Amino acid sequence: MTFVVTENCIKCKYTDCVEVCPVDCFHEGPNFLAIDPEECIDCTLCEPECPVEAIVSEDDLPEDQADFLQLNAELAAEWPVITEVKKPPEDADEWADKPNKRELLER
């Protein structure tokens, strides 16, 4: 099992989660984070750290977010690892909980 970064992270990209990850499974893109499912050890440490609740266990992944499991795997293979907290985008709070952000994901 793995944890999955879901749509709510798009344009929010808070990085509180990366600092607690013991295996460095987070990867950073322009406006989204991804979890490498091959590296994730299901430790659960990252999930409560996300202020916008964008990290979900694979077992609890809502049906409308199911494609994010594969998307995380694909993007983690392309993007560099991130291990330190960075300042979120200035408008991150404005994007939190907004639906239908998929088309805004930058690769």
Side-chain angles (χ1 to χ4, degrees), residues 12-107:
C12 288
K13 200 174 91 172
Y14 288 98
T15 57
D16 306 55
C17 53
V18 303
E19 193 170 56
V20 299
C21 181
V23 294
D24 301 337
C25 68
F26 282 91
H27 294 255
E28 181 184 25
N31 67 350
F32 185 72
L33 297 176
I35 292 176
D36 182 342
E38 297 297 319
E39 291 292 323
C40 181
I41 60 170
D42 191 29
C43 69
T44 74
L45 294 173
C46 61
E47 187 179 27
E49 295 300 316
C50 181
V52 296
E53 300 179 354
I55 301 172
V56 180
S57 167
E58 175 183 7
D59 290 344
D60 297 328
L61 196 58
E63 190 173 313
D64 69 336
Q65 301 288 302
D67 58 324
F68 276 87
L69 178 61
Q70 181 61 33
L71 183 62
N72 272 243
E74 290 172 13
L75 296 176
E78 297 173 17
W79 291 344
V81 171
I82 177 174
T83 59
E84 295 180 3
V85 174
K86 293 183 178 181
K87 186 176 177 181
E90 290 190 22
D91 61 349
D93 289 337
E94 296 171 32
W95 287 100
D97 297 320
K98 286 200 182 209
N100 305 316
K101 299 190 291 184
R102 292 169 195 259
E103 68 275 357
L104 302 174
L105 176 64
E106 297 176 31
R107 290 183 173 239

